[in-house]
Amino acid sequence: MKVKIYRGTKEIGGTCVELTADNGKILWIDLGSPLDSNNLDVSYVQNKVDALLISHPHQDHYGLMDAVSGREIPIFIGQLSLDLINAAKIFTARKLSEGNFQFILPYKPFLIAETFKVKAFLTDHSTPESFAFLIEADGKQIFYSGDFRATGRKKVVFEKLIDNPPENIDLLLMEGTMVERTNHLYETEDSVENAILEIISQQENITYVISSGQNIDRFVSVFKACRKAKKKIVIDVYSAWVLEMVAKVSKGIPKIEWEEIKIYLDKRQVDKINHESFNLFRKRIEKETIGNDVFNKPFEFVYFSRRPNLGLIKNLQHHGVINLIYSQWEGYLNDDTHYLAQLINPLKNDKCISYKHIHTSGHATVPDLIKFAKALTAKKIVPIHTASRNKFKEEFEKVGFTSVDIWDDGKEYKL
Ligand SMILES: [Zn+2]
Ligand SMILES: [Zn+2]
């Protein structure tokens, strides 16, 4: 078997790995959009391929999927992952993904192109469905870690994997996002929940928690903090739809009818779901709308939102200080061209706003990466999804690993 990483050996984003079996069959793992604007050449998406395997519904892993879907090539993906990709498309008025989709069931082995034996493992990551893959062909075994951490609400799946790891791995392709980032202020989702609880318990006005609607772990952290503090969590129509999709596979997820949840009906979002297939959903959310309560008792509400509503902030500021909790990667705020930087940074100095960054990463820290690699005992480890492959190697060598190999994008390696 031959392995080529089209992108990902030296950047976070645009991940795509190609496996070519001895019989000529070609499988791609992930087909993400590049995040690095210095190199946007993605002409490899036109190359020959027999099947595509998608690890999770983040743009840097599936963003170029539509380049393949039109070619009737089978795309192996989780059903929830596809629902979440389409959720984002519904609310931005884009055409839904079409293609030859084959749905992955975790831990149930399946065969791709009569050649690649695949088993999907759930991972703990900042999206509700994310997979790692064990792939076998030509008597060789590859483990692709996907994106993962060990500190989220699904940490049990990380522990399950390292307690009972697959054996005889020839190659471990492992993510290394955090090699040069730290998580020292908030190490776990639980610590995020507690920090938010502390703030909202004392709020005199509304609190905004800025996060992605698809980060269900974070939503649950805020939801639990609201329940403990006896506050209501306000979500928009898009987040309500995401919850509906997650509820199809996860029974414990909060439902929009629960008393702690209120919905903010943004007209632009409601307009996106005017098709009759959304009739029932529209009726349900209309019953749960926040109404005018927020103007009378703003201290009872916590907005879980992609962005703060400047009009609402202006209307409510006479009630007291408004908390603005930024709850995702701070890097977006350092990029002046990013909409979050343009929106959030000016608010930090506003005297009616109390700003705080409370976040824990969706990616494993170096000690957790090492724990993972020690459990898997692969013959060779190649870092991927990292901007610091040399540092990755150094960190592993410090603790005795001699199996880390640095690869280059676009180069073919024989297993
Ligand atoms: Zn991800
Ligand atoms: Zn990623």
Side-chain angles (χ1 to χ4, degrees), residues 55 72 82 102 109 134 136 155 191 201 204 210 217-218 222 235 265 273 296 298 307 316 318 358 378 382 388:
S55 66
E72 282 307 307
L82 185 61
Q102 312 280 324
L134 174 67
E136 190 197 322
K155 58 177 180 262
S191 64
S201 300
E204 53 187 31
I210 304 303
D217 270 24
R218 190 57 41 84
V222 180
I235 57 175
L265 294 183
I273 51 166
N296 305 322
R307 55 172 79 209
L316 292 178
H318 63 279
I358 302 178
V382 171
S388 339

mmCIF file of all heavy atoms in Angstrom, residues 55 72 82 102 109 134 136 155 191 201 204 210 217-218 222 235 265 273 296 298 307 316 318 358 378 382 388:
data_model
loop_
_atom_site.group_PDB
_atom_site.id
_atom_site.type_symbol
_atom_site.label_atom_id
_atom_site.label_comp_id
_atom_site.label_asym_id
_atom_site.label_seq_id
_atom_site.Cartn_x
_atom_site.Cartn_y
_atom_site.Cartn_z
ATOM 1 N N SER A 55 -14.079 12.077 8.272
ATOM 2 C CA SER A 55 -13.984 11.822 9.718
ATOM 3 C C SER A 55 -14.998 12.618 10.530
ATOM 4 O O SER A 55 -15.540 12.107 11.508
ATOM 5 C CB SER A 55 -12.573 12.097 10.231
ATOM 6 O OG SER A 55 -12.254 13.473 10.130
ATOM 7 N N GLU A 72 -20.323 10.652 -8.504
ATOM 8 C CA GLU A 72 -20.924 9.353 -8.127
ATOM 9 C C GLU A 72 -19.974 8.457 -7.328
ATOM 10 O O GLU A 72 -20.197 7.262 -7.186
ATOM 11 C CB GLU A 72 -21.435 8.589 -9.366
ATOM 12 C CG GLU A 72 -22.761 9.131 -9.884
ATOM 13 C CD GLU A 72 -23.853 9.209 -8.815
ATOM 14 O OE1 GLU A 72 -24.111 8.190 -8.163
ATOM 15 O OE2 GLU A 72 -24.418 10.312 -8.633
ATOM 16 N N LEU A 82 -23.476 14.370 8.143
ATOM 17 C CA LEU A 82 -24.099 14.919 6.934
ATOM 18 C C LEU A 82 -25.253 15.855 7.299
ATOM 19 O O LEU A 82 -25.417 16.924 6.693
ATOM 20 C CB LEU A 82 -24.589 13.779 6.032
ATOM 21 C CG LEU A 82 -25.157 14.230 4.684
ATOM 22 C CD1 LEU A 82 -24.110 14.963 3.841
ATOM 23 C CD2 LEU A 82 -25.714 13.037 3.890
ATOM 24 N N GLN A 102 -22.715 6.788 1.918
ATOM 25 C CA GLN A 102 -22.826 5.515 2.632
ATOM 26 C C GLN A 102 -22.586 5.838 4.101
ATOM 27 O O GLN A 102 -21.556 6.437 4.428
ATOM 28 C CB GLN A 102 -21.727 4.548 2.153
ATOM 29 C CG GLN A 102 -21.590 4.434 0.645
ATOM 30 C CD GLN A 102 -22.643 3.519 0.044
ATOM 31 O OE1 GLN A 102 -23.022 2.526 0.647
ATOM 32 N NE2 GLN A 102 -23.131 3.887 -1.134
ATOM 33 N N PRO A 109 -17.184 -2.907 11.491
ATOM 34 C CA PRO A 109 -16.282 -2.895 10.330
ATOM 35 C C PRO A 109 -17.040 -2.912 8.998
ATOM 36 O O PRO A 109 -18.116 -3.495 8.903
ATOM 37 C CB PRO A 109 -15.477 -4.185 10.498
ATOM 38 C CG PRO A 109 -15.598 -4.524 11.941
ATOM 39 C CD PRO A 109 -16.950 -4.052 12.369
ATOM 40 N N LEU A 134 -9.477 2.857 11.660
ATOM 41 C CA LEU A 134 -8.485 1.804 11.500
ATOM 42 C C LEU A 134 -8.718 1.239 10.101
ATOM 43 O O LEU A 134 -9.829 0.812 9.780
ATOM 44 C CB LEU A 134 -8.703 0.715 12.559
ATOM 45 C CG LEU A 134 -7.834 -0.525 12.431
ATOM 46 C CD1 LEU A 134 -6.363 -0.196 12.684
ATOM 47 C CD2 LEU A 134 -8.286 -1.605 13.425
ATOM 48 N N GLU A 136 -7.320 -1.332 7.010
ATOM 49 C CA GLU A 136 -6.432 -2.446 6.691
ATOM 50 C C GLU A 136 -6.507 -2.760 5.202
ATOM 51 O O GLU A 136 -7.583 -2.823 4.613
ATOM 52 C CB GLU A 136 -6.871 -3.674 7.493
ATOM 53 C CG GLU A 136 -5.892 -4.806 7.424
ATOM 54 C CD GLU A 136 -6.531 -6.126 7.864
ATOM 55 O OE1 GLU A 136 -7.346 -6.117 8.802
ATOM 56 O OE2 GLU A 136 -6.214 -7.143 7.214
ATOM 57 N N LYS A 155 -15.112 12.077 26.883
ATOM 58 C CA LYS A 155 -13.768 11.573 27.181
ATOM 59 C C LYS A 155 -13.750 10.059 27.377
ATOM 60 O O LYS A 155 -12.730 9.418 27.205
ATOM 61 C CB LYS A 155 -13.149 12.294 28.374
ATOM 62 C CG LYS A 155 -13.942 12.215 29.657
ATOM 63 C CD LYS A 155 -13.151 12.908 30.767
ATOM 64 C CE LYS A 155 -13.886 12.862 32.074
ATOM 65 N NZ LYS A 155 -14.620 14.084 32.355
ATOM 66 N N SER A 191 -14.440 22.441 33.544
ATOM 67 C CA SER A 191 -13.913 23.692 34.102
ATOM 68 C C SER A 191 -14.524 24.894 33.373
ATOM 69 O O SER A 191 -14.731 25.950 33.963
ATOM 70 C CB SER A 191 -12.387 23.719 34.055
ATOM 71 O OG SER A 191 -11.927 23.690 32.727
ATOM 72 N N SER A 201 -24.172 33.317 37.626
ATOM 73 C CA SER A 201 -24.865 33.301 38.925
ATOM 74 C C SER A 201 -24.996 34.709 39.476
ATOM 75 O O SER A 201 -25.885 34.990 40.274
ATOM 76 C CB SER A 201 -24.091 32.464 39.943
ATOM 77 O OG SER A 201 -23.970 31.162 39.480
ATOM 78 N N GLU A 204 -26.190 40.804 36.397
ATOM 79 C CA GLU A 204 -27.239 41.804 36.634
ATOM 80 C C GLU A 204 -27.967 42.136 35.335
ATOM 81 O O GLU A 204 -28.959 42.864 35.329
ATOM 82 C CB GLU A 204 -26.640 43.066 37.260
ATOM 83 C CG GLU A 204 -25.471 43.645 36.484
ATOM 84 C CD GLU A 204 -24.786 44.799 37.236
ATOM 85 O OE1 GLU A 204 -24.770 44.784 38.474
ATOM 86 O OE2 GLU A 204 -24.275 45.705 36.553
ATOM 87 N N ILE A 210 -20.296 33.394 23.267
ATOM 88 C CA ILE A 210 -20.069 33.332 21.824
ATOM 89 C C ILE A 210 -19.394 32.007 21.473
ATOM 90 O O ILE A 210 -18.273 31.716 21.913
ATOM 91 C CB ILE A 210 -19.185 34.517 21.357
ATOM 92 C CG1 ILE A 210 -19.807 35.854 21.772
ATOM 93 C CG2 ILE A 210 -18.950 34.452 19.847
ATOM 94 C CD1 ILE A 210 -21.211 36.094 21.270
ATOM 95 N N ASP A 217 -20.818 20.048 22.821
ATOM 96 C CA ASP A 217 -20.210 19.963 24.156
ATOM 97 C C ASP A 217 -20.301 21.316 24.860
ATOM 98 O O ASP A 217 -20.639 21.401 26.039
ATOM 99 C CB ASP A 217 -18.730 19.568 24.062
ATOM 100 C CG ASP A 217 -18.536 18.058 24.112
ATOM 101 O OD1 ASP A 217 -19.480 17.337 23.765
ATOM 102 O OD2 ASP A 217 -17.431 17.606 24.502
ATOM 103 N N ARG A 218 -20.005 22.374 24.112
ATOM 104 C CA ARG A 218 -20.027 23.716 24.715
ATOM 105 C C ARG A 218 -21.457 24.123 25.041
ATOM 106 O O ARG A 218 -21.738 24.684 26.098
ATOM 107 C CB ARG A 218 -19.360 24.725 23.764
ATOM 108 C CG ARG A 218 -19.093 26.108 24.362
ATOM 109 C CD ARG A 218 -18.217 26.051 25.632
ATOM 110 N NE ARG A 218 -17.119 25.116 25.549
ATOM 111 C CZ ARG A 218 -15.926 25.356 24.992
ATOM 112 N NH1 ARG A 218 -15.674 26.552 24.501
ATOM 113 N NH2 ARG A 218 -14.984 24.427 24.946
ATOM 114 N N VAL A 222 -22.887 25.186 28.777
ATOM 115 C CA VAL A 222 -23.622 26.421 29.083
ATOM 116 C C VAL A 222 -25.017 26.072 29.603
ATOM 117 O O VAL A 222 -25.511 26.665 30.571
ATOM 118 C CB VAL A 222 -23.698 27.339 27.837
ATOM 119 C CG1 VAL A 222 -24.454 28.626 28.165
ATOM 120 C CG2 VAL A 222 -22.302 27.673 27.321
ATOM 121 N N ILE A 235 -31.271 30.424 22.390
ATOM 122 C CA ILE A 235 -30.559 30.006 21.173
ATOM 123 C C ILE A 235 -31.309 30.533 19.951
ATOM 124 O O ILE A 235 -32.490 30.872 20.039
ATOM 125 C CB ILE A 235 -30.424 28.458 21.093
ATOM 126 C CG1 ILE A 235 -31.806 27.781 21.162
ATOM 127 C CG2 ILE A 235 -29.515 27.946 22.193
ATOM 128 C CD1 ILE A 235 -31.747 26.271 20.974
ATOM 129 N N LEU A 265 -36.267 34.212 17.558
ATOM 130 C CA LEU A 265 -36.681 34.025 16.164
ATOM 131 C C LEU A 265 -36.142 35.160 15.288
ATOM 132 O O LEU A 265 -36.775 36.204 15.152
ATOM 133 C CB LEU A 265 -38.209 33.986 16.054
ATOM 134 C CG LEU A 265 -38.943 32.807 16.700
ATOM 135 C CD1 LEU A 265 -40.434 32.903 16.411
ATOM 136 C CD2 LEU A 265 -38.411 31.469 16.214
ATOM 137 N N ILE A 273 -36.285 28.644 6.374
ATOM 138 C CA ILE A 273 -36.970 27.358 6.568
ATOM 139 C C ILE A 273 -38.458 27.503 6.240
ATOM 140 O O ILE A 273 -39.329 27.045 6.971
ATOM 141 C CB ILE A 273 -36.768 26.802 8.000
ATOM 142 C CG1 ILE A 273 -37.115 27.863 9.067
ATOM 143 C CG2 ILE A 273 -35.357 26.303 8.203
ATOM 144 C CD1 ILE A 273 -37.266 27.286 10.461
ATOM 145 N N ASN A 296 -37.753 42.925 30.352
ATOM 146 C CA ASN A 296 -38.147 43.189 31.730
ATOM 147 C C ASN A 296 -37.154 42.619 32.742
ATOM 148 O O ASN A 296 -36.826 43.257 33.725
ATOM 149 C CB ASN A 296 -39.540 42.593 31.991
ATOM 150 C CG ASN A 296 -40.542 43.118 30.979
ATOM 151 O OD1 ASN A 296 -40.487 44.291 30.614
ATOM 152 N ND2 ASN A 296 -41.424 42.246 30.509
ATOM 153 N N PRO A 298 -33.735 41.016 32.153
ATOM 154 C CA PRO A 298 -32.623 40.512 31.337
ATOM 155 C C PRO A 298 -31.666 39.596 32.102
ATOM 156 O O PRO A 298 -31.047 38.711 31.508
ATOM 157 C CB PRO A 298 -31.915 41.784 30.863
ATOM 158 C CG PRO A 298 -32.362 42.868 31.773
ATOM 159 C CD PRO A 298 -33.731 42.496 32.225
ATOM 160 N N ARG A 307 -22.743 35.308 17.483
ATOM 161 C CA ARG A 307 -22.323 36.701 17.532
ATOM 162 C C ARG A 307 -23.251 37.477 18.459
ATOM 163 O O ARG A 307 -24.414 37.118 18.617
ATOM 164 C CB ARG A 307 -22.363 37.322 16.129
ATOM 165 C CG ARG A 307 -23.729 37.192 15.467
ATOM 166 C CD ARG A 307 -23.796 37.976 14.188
ATOM 167 N NE ARG A 307 -23.167 37.287 13.082
ATOM 168 C CZ ARG A 307 -22.604 37.903 12.050
ATOM 169 N NH1 ARG A 307 -22.586 39.207 11.994
ATOM 170 N NH2 ARG A 307 -22.060 37.221 11.070
ATOM 171 N N LEU A 316 -30.450 47.195 26.175
ATOM 172 C CA LEU A 316 -30.478 46.660 27.538
ATOM 173 C C LEU A 316 -29.418 47.259 28.448
ATOM 174 O O LEU A 316 -29.409 46.974 29.647
ATOM 175 C CB LEU A 316 -30.304 45.132 27.508
ATOM 176 C CG LEU A 316 -31.444 44.323 26.893
ATOM 177 C CD1 LEU A 316 -31.096 42.840 26.883
ATOM 178 C CD2 LEU A 316 -32.752 44.548 27.654
ATOM 179 N N HIS A 318 -28.879 49.879 29.994
ATOM 180 C CA HIS A 318 -29.247 50.642 31.208
ATOM 181 C C HIS A 318 -29.554 49.720 32.398
ATOM 182 O O HIS A 318 -29.656 50.167 33.531
ATOM 183 C CB HIS A 318 -30.449 51.566 30.915
ATOM 184 C CG HIS A 318 -31.691 50.831 30.540
ATOM 185 N ND1 HIS A 318 -31.914 50.362 29.259
ATOM 186 C CD2 HIS A 318 -32.765 50.448 31.279
ATOM 187 C CE1 HIS A 318 -33.083 49.732 29.232
ATOM 188 N NE2 HIS A 318 -33.620 49.769 30.435
ATOM 189 N N ILE A 358 -13.350 32.301 27.893
ATOM 190 C CA ILE A 358 -13.450 31.022 28.623
ATOM 191 C C ILE A 358 -13.612 29.916 27.588
ATOM 192 O O ILE A 358 -14.641 29.819 26.920
ATOM 193 C CB ILE A 358 -14.661 31.014 29.591
ATOM 194 C CG1 ILE A 358 -14.544 32.169 30.590
ATOM 195 C CG2 ILE A 358 -14.752 29.668 30.313
ATOM 196 C CD1 ILE A 358 -15.718 32.269 31.558
ATOM 197 N N ALA A 378 2.308 2.091 17.628
ATOM 198 C CA ALA A 378 2.455 1.948 16.175
ATOM 199 C C ALA A 378 3.937 1.869 15.796
ATOM 200 O O ALA A 378 4.778 2.459 16.461
ATOM 201 C CB ALA A 378 1.818 3.147 15.487
ATOM 202 N N VAL A 382 3.300 9.453 12.124
ATOM 203 C CA VAL A 382 3.504 10.624 11.267
ATOM 204 C C VAL A 382 2.535 11.715 11.715
ATOM 205 O O VAL A 382 1.320 11.506 11.718
ATOM 206 C CB VAL A 382 3.288 10.272 9.780
ATOM 207 C CG1 VAL A 382 3.290 11.534 8.914
ATOM 208 C CG2 VAL A 382 4.360 9.301 9.303
ATOM 209 N N SER A 388 3.345 22.498 13.402
ATOM 210 C CA SER A 388 4.639 22.381 14.086
ATOM 211 C C SER A 388 5.118 20.934 14.130
ATOM 212 O O SER A 388 5.293 20.359 15.191
ATOM 213 C CB SER A 388 4.530 22.907 15.511
ATOM 214 O OG SER A 388 3.436 23.782 15.672
#
